Amino acid sequence: MQDFYWEPGWLPVVEEQERLLQYGRFTHETAFELGLLIKKEVERRACGSAAIRIVEDGAVVFAYKMPGTSLENDWWMDRKLNVSRLTGTSSVRAYLEAKSGLRRPFWQERPDNYAACGGCFPIFLRDGGPVYAYALVSGLHHQEDHQVIADAMAGQLGVRIRSI
């Protein structure tokens, strides 16, 4: 797995995002609205094309591929999802923790199965339970993959967040 651009100050921001961006309730309708908000956020930024997916209990409940994306984006999303599932954090947080010496980068042993980079954001419910669903984006710079999800979630929840 290659190294990506990152800054040490991103880790506390990402931890805060995960703490603030939690849902009281998350339905398929919520997932559909979130997917459309992510699409609009990508278009607003004019930073490229992205593939978007929301997964709940292993089932895809939203998927959209903007023109210019391909099967390769699906492979990246699968690998990011694997990292997030094993860590219980966003894929970029796992990467930042490894770069900061807080986590062993297990994904380096099996790069065909894991990708620790931006683009998979866990969806938590406020009840304190485990991850409920995952929002995924692939196709932009890895920090943008992460931030478009976070910004769309913040807009949907009416929460103000800091950006990486």
PDB file of all heavy atoms in Angstrom, residues 25-58:
ATOM      1  N   ARG A  25     -31.366   7.676  14.094  1.00  0.00           N
ATOM      2  CA  ARG A  25     -32.029   6.615  13.337  1.00  0.00           C
ATOM      3  C   ARG A  25     -31.449   6.629  11.927  1.00  0.00           C
ATOM      4  O   ARG A  25     -31.180   7.698  11.390  1.00  0.00           O
ATOM      5  CB  ARG A  25     -33.518   6.939  13.310  1.00  0.00           C
ATOM      6  CG  ARG A  25     -34.402   5.881  12.811  1.00  0.00           C
ATOM      7  CD  ARG A  25     -35.864   6.245  13.123  1.00  0.00           C
ATOM      8  NE  ARG A  25     -36.688   5.424  12.283  1.00  0.00           N
ATOM      9  CZ  ARG A  25     -37.439   5.877  11.295  1.00  0.00           C
ATOM     10  NH1 ARG A  25     -37.532   7.162  11.059  1.00  0.00           N
ATOM     11  NH2 ARG A  25     -38.131   5.050  10.556  1.00  0.00           N
ATOM     12  N   PHE A  26     -31.252   5.468  11.325  1.00  0.00           N
ATOM     13  CA  PHE A  26     -30.715   5.396   9.969  1.00  0.00           C
ATOM     14  C   PHE A  26     -31.515   4.353   9.205  1.00  0.00           C
ATOM     15  O   PHE A  26     -31.459   3.168   9.503  1.00  0.00           O
ATOM     16  CB  PHE A  26     -29.224   5.036   9.987  1.00  0.00           C
ATOM     17  CG  PHE A  26     -28.545   5.277   8.677  1.00  0.00           C
ATOM     18  CD1 PHE A  26     -28.063   6.534   8.350  1.00  0.00           C
ATOM     19  CD2 PHE A  26     -28.375   4.246   7.767  1.00  0.00           C
ATOM     20  CE1 PHE A  26     -27.430   6.763   7.132  1.00  0.00           C
ATOM     21  CE2 PHE A  26     -27.743   4.469   6.548  1.00  0.00           C
ATOM     22  CZ  PHE A  26     -27.274   5.726   6.232  1.00  0.00           C
ATOM     23  N   THR A  27     -32.281   4.816   8.221  1.00  0.00           N
ATOM     24  CA  THR A  27     -33.140   3.945   7.422  1.00  0.00           C
ATOM     25  C   THR A  27     -32.621   3.888   5.986  1.00  0.00           C
ATOM     26  O   THR A  27     -31.688   4.609   5.623  1.00  0.00           O
ATOM     27  CB  THR A  27     -34.579   4.492   7.406  1.00  0.00           C
ATOM     28  OG1 THR A  27     -34.562   5.767   6.725  1.00  0.00           O
ATOM     29  CG2 THR A  27     -35.125   4.668   8.824  1.00  0.00           C
ATOM     30  N   HIS A  28     -33.276   3.092   5.167  1.00  0.00           N
ATOM     31  CA  HIS A  28     -32.907   3.058   3.743  1.00  0.00           C
ATOM     32  C   HIS A  28     -33.171   4.420   3.101  1.00  0.00           C
ATOM     33  O   HIS A  28     -32.435   4.846   2.205  1.00  0.00           O
ATOM     34  CB  HIS A  28     -33.664   1.954   3.019  1.00  0.00           C
ATOM     35  CG  HIS A  28     -33.152   0.589   3.360  1.00  0.00           C
ATOM     36  ND1 HIS A  28     -33.505  -0.524   2.656  1.00  0.00           N
ATOM     37  CD2 HIS A  28     -32.317   0.151   4.326  1.00  0.00           C
ATOM     38  CE1 HIS A  28     -32.913  -1.589   3.172  1.00  0.00           C
ATOM     39  NE2 HIS A  28     -32.194  -1.190   4.189  1.00  0.00           N
ATOM     40  N   GLU A  29     -34.216   5.089   3.537  1.00  0.00           N
ATOM     41  CA  GLU A  29     -34.498   6.438   3.034  1.00  0.00           C
ATOM     42  C   GLU A  29     -33.378   7.403   3.434  1.00  0.00           C
ATOM     43  O   GLU A  29     -32.944   8.229   2.637  1.00  0.00           O
ATOM     44  CB  GLU A  29     -35.851   6.933   3.573  1.00  0.00           C
ATOM     45  CG  GLU A  29     -36.289   8.270   3.015  1.00  0.00           C
ATOM     46  CD  GLU A  29     -36.636   8.238   1.528  1.00  0.00           C
ATOM     47  OE1 GLU A  29     -36.996   7.181   0.992  1.00  0.00           O
ATOM     48  OE2 GLU A  29     -36.531   9.306   0.895  1.00  0.00           O
ATOM     49  N   THR A  30     -32.890   7.285   4.664  1.00  0.00           N
ATOM     50  CA  THR A  30     -31.763   8.100   5.125  1.00  0.00           C
ATOM     51  C   THR A  30     -30.539   7.826   4.255  1.00  0.00           C
ATOM     52  O   THR A  30     -29.820   8.750   3.860  1.00  0.00           O
ATOM     53  CB  THR A  30     -31.436   7.792   6.600  1.00  0.00           C
ATOM     54  OG1 THR A  30     -32.626   7.850   7.383  1.00  0.00           O
ATOM     55  CG2 THR A  30     -30.423   8.764   7.158  1.00  0.00           C
ATOM     56  N   ALA A  31     -30.303   6.543   3.959  1.00  0.00           N
ATOM     57  CA  ALA A  31     -29.163   6.158   3.121  1.00  0.00           C
ATOM     58  C   ALA A  31     -29.296   6.750   1.722  1.00  0.00           C
ATOM     59  O   ALA A  31     -28.322   7.267   1.155  1.00  0.00           O
ATOM     60  CB  ALA A  31     -29.059   4.635   3.041  1.00  0.00           C
ATOM     61  N   PHE A  32     -30.495   6.697   1.160  1.00  0.00           N
ATOM     62  CA  PHE A  32     -30.733   7.256  -0.173  1.00  0.00           C
ATOM     63  C   PHE A  32     -30.444   8.760  -0.179  1.00  0.00           C
ATOM     64  O   PHE A  32     -29.741   9.267  -1.058  1.00  0.00           O
ATOM     65  CB  PHE A  32     -32.184   6.984  -0.589  1.00  0.00           C
ATOM     66  CG  PHE A  32     -32.539   7.515  -1.943  1.00  0.00           C
ATOM     67  CD1 PHE A  32     -32.066   6.900  -3.097  1.00  0.00           C
ATOM     68  CD2 PHE A  32     -33.341   8.638  -2.083  1.00  0.00           C
ATOM     69  CE1 PHE A  32     -32.387   7.392  -4.359  1.00  0.00           C
ATOM     70  CE2 PHE A  32     -33.660   9.133  -3.331  1.00  0.00           C
ATOM     71  CZ  PHE A  32     -33.185   8.514  -4.476  1.00  0.00           C
ATOM     72  N   GLU A  33     -30.976   9.469   0.814  1.00  0.00           N
ATOM     73  CA  GLU A  33     -30.738  10.910   0.911  1.00  0.00           C
ATOM     74  C   GLU A  33     -29.258  11.211   1.095  1.00  0.00           C
ATOM     75  O   GLU A  33     -28.728  12.143   0.478  1.00  0.00           O
ATOM     76  CB  GLU A  33     -31.536  11.493   2.081  1.00  0.00           C
ATOM     77  CG  GLU A  33     -33.035  11.472   1.852  1.00  0.00           C
ATOM     78  CD  GLU A  33     -33.845  11.770   3.109  1.00  0.00           C
ATOM     79  OE1 GLU A  33     -33.250  12.000   4.195  1.00  0.00           O
ATOM     80  OE2 GLU A  33     -35.089  11.754   3.008  1.00  0.00           O
ATOM     81  N   LEU A  34     -28.572  10.435   1.937  1.00  0.00           N
ATOM     82  CA  LEU A  34     -27.136  10.642   2.148  1.00  0.00           C
ATOM     83  C   LEU A  34     -26.367  10.412   0.851  1.00  0.00           C
ATOM     84  O   LEU A  34     -25.476  11.199   0.505  1.00  0.00           O
ATOM     85  CB  LEU A  34     -26.617   9.724   3.253  1.00  0.00           C
ATOM     86  CG  LEU A  34     -25.118   9.793   3.520  1.00  0.00           C
ATOM     87  CD1 LEU A  34     -24.670  11.212   3.884  1.00  0.00           C
ATOM     88  CD2 LEU A  34     -24.723   8.800   4.612  1.00  0.00           C
ATOM     89  N   GLY A  35     -26.694   9.356   0.130  1.00  0.00           N
ATOM     90  CA  GLY A  35     -26.015   9.094  -1.139  1.00  0.00           C
ATOM     91  C   GLY A  35     -26.157  10.255  -2.109  1.00  0.00           C
ATOM     92  O   GLY A  35     -25.188  10.670  -2.758  1.00  0.00           O
ATOM     93  N   LEU A  36     -27.365  10.819  -2.192  1.00  0.00           N
ATOM     94  CA  LEU A  36     -27.581  11.969  -3.079  1.00  0.00           C
ATOM     95  C   LEU A  36     -26.828  13.201  -2.577  1.00  0.00           C
ATOM     96  O   LEU A  36     -26.302  13.985  -3.386  1.00  0.00           O
ATOM     97  CB  LEU A  36     -29.074  12.266  -3.208  1.00  0.00           C
ATOM     98  CG  LEU A  36     -29.899  11.197  -3.933  1.00  0.00           C
ATOM     99  CD1 LEU A  36     -31.368  11.590  -3.943  1.00  0.00           C
ATOM    100  CD2 LEU A  36     -29.382  10.954  -5.337  1.00  0.00           C
ATOM    101  N   LEU A  37     -26.747  13.386  -1.268  1.00  0.00           N
ATOM    102  CA  LEU A  37     -25.987  14.513  -0.713  1.00  0.00           C
ATOM    103  C   LEU A  37     -24.494  14.374  -1.009  1.00  0.00           C
ATOM    104  O   LEU A  37     -23.818  15.365  -1.308  1.00  0.00           O
ATOM    105  CB  LEU A  37     -26.214  14.624   0.801  1.00  0.00           C
ATOM    106  CG  LEU A  37     -27.581  15.146   1.236  1.00  0.00           C
ATOM    107  CD1 LEU A  37     -27.764  14.971   2.738  1.00  0.00           C
ATOM    108  CD2 LEU A  37     -27.748  16.611   0.838  1.00  0.00           C
ATOM    109  N   ILE A  38     -23.984  13.156  -0.942  1.00  0.00           N
ATOM    110  CA  ILE A  38     -22.574  12.928  -1.285  1.00  0.00           C
ATOM    111  C   ILE A  38     -22.346  13.271  -2.754  1.00  0.00           C
ATOM    112  O   ILE A  38     -21.378  13.951  -3.103  1.00  0.00           O
ATOM    113  CB  ILE A  38     -22.157  11.473  -0.974  1.00  0.00           C
ATOM    114  CG1 ILE A  38     -22.178  11.221   0.535  1.00  0.00           C
ATOM    115  CG2 ILE A  38     -20.772  11.177  -1.551  1.00  0.00           C
ATOM    116  CD1 ILE A  38     -22.043   9.748   0.932  1.00  0.00           C
ATOM    117  N   LYS A  39     -23.237  12.807  -3.623  1.00  0.00           N
ATOM    118  CA  LYS A  39     -23.124  13.115  -5.057  1.00  0.00           C
ATOM    119  C   LYS A  39     -23.105  14.625  -5.278  1.00  0.00           C
ATOM    120  O   LYS A  39     -22.259  15.146  -6.013  1.00  0.00           O
ATOM    121  CB  LYS A  39     -24.283  12.482  -5.819  1.00  0.00           C
ATOM    122  CG  LYS A  39     -24.314  12.798  -7.309  1.00  0.00           C
ATOM    123  CD  LYS A  39     -25.572  12.217  -7.950  1.00  0.00           C
ATOM    124  CE  LYS A  39     -25.679  12.578  -9.409  1.00  0.00           C
ATOM    125  NZ  LYS A  39     -26.023  13.975  -9.658  1.00  0.00           N
ATOM    126  N   LYS A  40     -24.022  15.341  -4.635  1.00  0.00           N
ATOM    127  CA  LYS A  40     -24.066  16.805  -4.777  1.00  0.00           C
ATOM    128  C   LYS A  40     -22.794  17.456  -4.250  1.00  0.00           C
ATOM    129  O   LYS A  40     -22.308  18.434  -4.826  1.00  0.00           O
ATOM    130  CB  LYS A  40     -25.280  17.374  -4.047  1.00  0.00           C
ATOM    131  CG  LYS A  40     -26.586  17.098  -4.741  1.00  0.00           C
ATOM    132  CD  LYS A  40     -27.751  17.680  -3.964  1.00  0.00           C
ATOM    133  CE  LYS A  40     -29.057  17.295  -4.628  1.00  0.00           C
ATOM    134  NZ  LYS A  40     -30.229  17.730  -3.875  1.00  0.00           N
ATOM    135  N   GLU A  41     -22.248  16.918  -3.164  1.00  0.00           N
ATOM    136  CA  GLU A  41     -21.009  17.473  -2.588  1.00  0.00           C
ATOM    137  C   GLU A  41     -19.838  17.294  -3.558  1.00  0.00           C
ATOM    138  O   GLU A  41     -19.034  18.199  -3.746  1.00  0.00           O
ATOM    139  CB  GLU A  41     -20.712  16.816  -1.238  1.00  0.00           C
ATOM    140  CG  GLU A  41     -19.554  17.409  -0.491  1.00  0.00           C
ATOM    141  CD  GLU A  41     -19.740  18.849  -0.068  1.00  0.00           C
ATOM    142  OE1 GLU A  41     -20.893  19.299   0.132  1.00  0.00           O
ATOM    143  OE2 GLU A  41     -18.724  19.559   0.056  1.00  0.00           O
ATOM    144  N   VAL A  42     -19.753  16.135  -4.185  1.00  0.00           N
ATOM    145  CA  VAL A  42     -18.699  15.901  -5.184  1.00  0.00           C
ATOM    146  C   VAL A  42     -18.870  16.887  -6.342  1.00  0.00           C
ATOM    147  O   VAL A  42     -17.908  17.516  -6.784  1.00  0.00           O
ATOM    148  CB  VAL A  42     -18.721  14.440  -5.699  1.00  0.00           C
ATOM    149  CG1 VAL A  42     -17.768  14.265  -6.881  1.00  0.00           C
ATOM    150  CG2 VAL A  42     -18.377  13.470  -4.569  1.00  0.00           C
ATOM    151  N   GLU A  43     -20.098  17.046  -6.832  1.00  0.00           N
ATOM    152  CA  GLU A  43     -20.359  17.967  -7.944  1.00  0.00           C
ATOM    153  C   GLU A  43     -20.060  19.414  -7.544  1.00  0.00           C
ATOM    154  O   GLU A  43     -19.480  20.171  -8.322  1.00  0.00           O
ATOM    155  CB  GLU A  43     -21.810  17.833  -8.401  1.00  0.00           C
ATOM    156  CG  GLU A  43     -22.097  16.510  -9.063  1.00  0.00           C
ATOM    157  CD  GLU A  43     -23.578  16.240  -9.291  1.00  0.00           C
ATOM    158  OE1 GLU A  43     -24.434  16.894  -8.650  1.00  0.00           O
ATOM    159  OE2 GLU A  43     -23.871  15.364 -10.122  1.00  0.00           O
ATOM    160  N   ARG A  44     -20.418  19.795  -6.327  1.00  0.00           N
ATOM    161  CA  ARG A  44     -20.185  21.166  -5.855  1.00  0.00           C
ATOM    162  C   ARG A  44     -18.695  21.488  -5.822  1.00  0.00           C
ATOM    163  O   ARG A  44     -18.277  22.573  -6.200  1.00  0.00           O
ATOM    164  CB  ARG A  44     -20.782  21.352  -4.457  1.00  0.00           C
ATOM    165  CG  ARG A  44     -20.652  22.769  -3.903  1.00  0.00           C
ATOM    166  CD  ARG A  44     -21.094  22.864  -2.462  1.00  0.00           C
ATOM    167  NE  ARG A  44     -20.190  22.217  -1.527  1.00  0.00           N
ATOM    168  CZ  ARG A  44     -19.013  22.725  -1.138  1.00  0.00           C
ATOM    169  NH1 ARG A  44     -18.579  23.868  -1.613  1.00  0.00           N
ATOM    170  NH2 ARG A  44     -18.265  22.068  -0.264  1.00  0.00           N
ATOM    171  N   ARG A  45     -17.914  20.535  -5.395  1.00  0.00           N
ATOM    172  CA  ARG A  45     -16.464  20.744  -5.303  1.00  0.00           C
ATOM    173  C   ARG A  45     -15.780  20.708  -6.672  1.00  0.00           C
ATOM    174  O   ARG A  45     -14.646  21.154  -6.791  1.00  0.00           O
ATOM    175  CB  ARG A  45     -15.838  19.671  -4.425  1.00  0.00           C
ATOM    176  CG  ARG A  45     -16.207  19.792  -2.982  1.00  0.00           C
ATOM    177  CD  ARG A  45     -15.709  18.576  -2.222  1.00  0.00           C
ATOM    178  NE  ARG A  45     -16.143  18.610  -0.854  1.00  0.00           N
ATOM    179  CZ  ARG A  45     -15.309  18.682   0.177  1.00  0.00           C
ATOM    180  NH1 ARG A  45     -14.014  18.688  -0.008  1.00  0.00           N
ATOM    181  NH2 ARG A  45     -15.789  18.720   1.395  1.00  0.00           N
ATOM    182  N   ALA A  46     -16.446  20.127  -7.660  1.00  0.00           N
ATOM    183  CA  ALA A  46     -15.882  19.983  -9.002  1.00  0.00           C
ATOM    184  C   ALA A  46     -14.472  19.397  -8.934  1.00  0.00           C
ATOM    185  O   ALA A  46     -13.546  19.880  -9.567  1.00  0.00           O
ATOM    186  CB  ALA A  46     -15.891  21.326  -9.738  1.00  0.00           C
ATOM    187  N   CYS A  47     -14.339  18.324  -8.138  1.00  0.00           N
ATOM    188  CA  CYS A  47     -13.016  17.730  -7.924  1.00  0.00           C
ATOM    189  C   CYS A  47     -12.861  16.386  -8.634  1.00  0.00           C
ATOM    190  O   CYS A  47     -11.914  15.668  -8.373  1.00  0.00           O
ATOM    191  CB  CYS A  47     -12.737  17.596  -6.427  1.00  0.00           C
ATOM    192  SG  CYS A  47     -14.005  16.718  -5.497  1.00  0.00           S
ATOM    193  N   GLY A  48     -13.788  16.048  -9.503  1.00  0.00           N
ATOM    194  CA  GLY A  48     -13.683  14.794 -10.241  1.00  0.00           C
ATOM    195  C   GLY A  48     -14.953  13.978 -10.146  1.00  0.00           C
ATOM    196  O   GLY A  48     -15.981  14.440  -9.674  1.00  0.00           O
ATOM    197  N   SER A  49     -14.847  12.744 -10.598  1.00  0.00           N
ATOM    198  CA  SER A  49     -15.967  11.800 -10.560  1.00  0.00           C
ATOM    199  C   SER A  49     -15.741  10.802  -9.442  1.00  0.00           C
ATOM    200  O   SER A  49     -14.609  10.440  -9.139  1.00  0.00           O
ATOM    201  CB  SER A  49     -16.078  11.053 -11.881  1.00  0.00           C
ATOM    202  OG  SER A  49     -16.483  11.930 -12.900  1.00  0.00           O
ATOM    203  N   ALA A  50     -16.833  10.328  -8.872  1.00  0.00           N
ATOM    204  CA  ALA A  50     -16.707   9.382  -7.775  1.00  0.00           C
ATOM    205  C   ALA A  50     -17.762   8.293  -7.882  1.00  0.00           C
ATOM    206  O   ALA A  50     -18.843   8.510  -8.421  1.00  0.00           O
ATOM    207  CB  ALA A  50     -16.853  10.111  -6.440  1.00  0.00           C
ATOM    208  N   ALA A  51     -17.406   7.146  -7.342  1.00  0.00           N
ATOM    209  CA  ALA A  51     -18.359   6.066  -7.126  1.00  0.00           C
ATOM    210  C   ALA A  51     -18.776   6.170  -5.665  1.00  0.00           C
ATOM    211  O   ALA A  51     -17.952   6.443  -4.792  1.00  0.00           O
ATOM    212  CB  ALA A  51     -17.714   4.715  -7.415  1.00  0.00           C
ATOM    213  N   ILE A  52     -20.058   5.962  -5.413  1.00  0.00           N
ATOM    214  CA  ILE A  52     -20.616   6.126  -4.073  1.00  0.00           C
ATOM    215  C   ILE A  52     -21.382   4.861  -3.721  1.00  0.00           C
ATOM    216  O   ILE A  52     -22.121   4.320  -4.546  1.00  0.00           O
ATOM    217  CB  ILE A  52     -21.577   7.342  -4.029  1.00  0.00           C
ATOM    218  CG1 ILE A  52     -20.850   8.606  -4.480  1.00  0.00           C
ATOM    219  CG2 ILE A  52     -22.199   7.506  -2.642  1.00  0.00           C
ATOM    220  CD1 ILE A  52     -21.778   9.728  -4.906  1.00  0.00           C
ATOM    221  N   ARG A  53     -21.212   4.416  -2.482  1.00  0.00           N
ATOM    222  CA  ARG A  53     -21.919   3.217  -2.037  1.00  0.00           C
ATOM    223  C   ARG A  53     -22.228   3.356  -0.548  1.00  0.00           C
ATOM    224  O   ARG A  53     -21.400   3.860   0.204  1.00  0.00           O
ATOM    225  CB  ARG A  53     -21.047   1.984  -2.266  1.00  0.00           C
ATOM    226  CG  ARG A  53     -21.730   0.682  -1.936  1.00  0.00           C
ATOM    227  CD  ARG A  53     -20.806  -0.518  -1.950  1.00  0.00           C
ATOM    228  NE  ARG A  53     -20.028  -0.667  -3.159  1.00  0.00           N
ATOM    229  CZ  ARG A  53     -18.939  -1.435  -3.239  1.00  0.00           C
ATOM    230  NH1 ARG A  53     -18.498  -2.106  -2.187  1.00  0.00           N
ATOM    231  NH2 ARG A  53     -18.274  -1.540  -4.363  1.00  0.00           N
ATOM    232  N   ILE A  54     -23.390   2.894  -0.139  1.00  0.00           N
ATOM    233  CA  ILE A  54     -23.736   2.808   1.277  1.00  0.00           C
ATOM    234  C   ILE A  54     -24.137   1.367   1.544  1.00  0.00           C
ATOM    235  O   ILE A  54     -24.970   0.797   0.820  1.00  0.00           O
ATOM    236  CB  ILE A  54     -24.846   3.799   1.663  1.00  0.00           C
ATOM    237  CG1 ILE A  54     -24.349   5.232   1.388  1.00  0.00           C
ATOM    238  CG2 ILE A  54     -25.236   3.630   3.143  1.00  0.00           C
ATOM    239  CD1 ILE A  54     -25.360   6.318   1.595  1.00  0.00           C
ATOM    240  N   VAL A  55     -23.510   0.774   2.558  1.00  0.00           N
ATOM    241  CA  VAL A  55     -23.686  -0.643   2.875  1.00  0.00           C
ATOM    242  C   VAL A  55     -24.221  -0.775   4.297  1.00  0.00           C
ATOM    243  O   VAL A  55     -23.700  -0.149   5.218  1.00  0.00           O
ATOM    244  CB  VAL A  55     -22.331  -1.386   2.761  1.00  0.00           C
ATOM    245  CG1 VAL A  55     -22.469  -2.842   3.160  1.00  0.00           C
ATOM    246  CG2 VAL A  55     -21.753  -1.251   1.373  1.00  0.00           C
ATOM    247  N   GLU A  56     -25.263  -1.598   4.443  1.00  0.00           N
ATOM    248  CA  GLU A  56     -25.840  -1.888   5.755  1.00  0.00           C
ATOM    249  C   GLU A  56     -25.980  -3.400   5.881  1.00  0.00           C
ATOM    250  O   GLU A  56     -26.576  -4.046   5.003  1.00  0.00           O
ATOM    251  CB  GLU A  56     -27.208  -1.215   5.867  1.00  0.00           C
ATOM    252  CG  GLU A  56     -27.942  -1.494   7.148  1.00  0.00           C
ATOM    253  CD  GLU A  56     -29.353  -0.942   7.117  1.00  0.00           C
ATOM    254  OE1 GLU A  56     -29.583   0.131   6.529  1.00  0.00           O
ATOM    255  OE2 GLU A  56     -30.229  -1.612   7.678  1.00  0.00           O
ATOM    256  N   ASP A  57     -25.432  -3.956   6.921  1.00  0.00           N
ATOM    257  CA  ASP A  57     -25.495  -5.408   7.146  1.00  0.00           C
ATOM    258  C   ASP A  57     -25.005  -6.195   5.928  1.00  0.00           C
ATOM    259  O   ASP A  57     -25.571  -7.237   5.578  1.00  0.00           O
ATOM    260  CB  ASP A  57     -26.923  -5.857   7.497  1.00  0.00           C
ATOM    261  CG  ASP A  57     -27.372  -5.349   8.851  1.00  0.00           C
ATOM    262  OD1 ASP A  57     -26.504  -5.161   9.726  1.00  0.00           O
ATOM    263  OD2 ASP A  57     -28.576  -5.147   9.031  1.00  0.00           O
ATOM    264  N   GLY A  58     -23.983  -5.707   5.267  1.00  0.00           N
ATOM    265  CA  GLY A  58     -23.421  -6.395   4.116  1.00  0.00           C
ATOM    266  C   GLY A  58     -24.196  -6.209   2.830  1.00  0.00           C
ATOM    267  O   GLY A  58     -23.786  -6.678   1.775  1.00  0.00           O
TER     268      GLY A  58
END
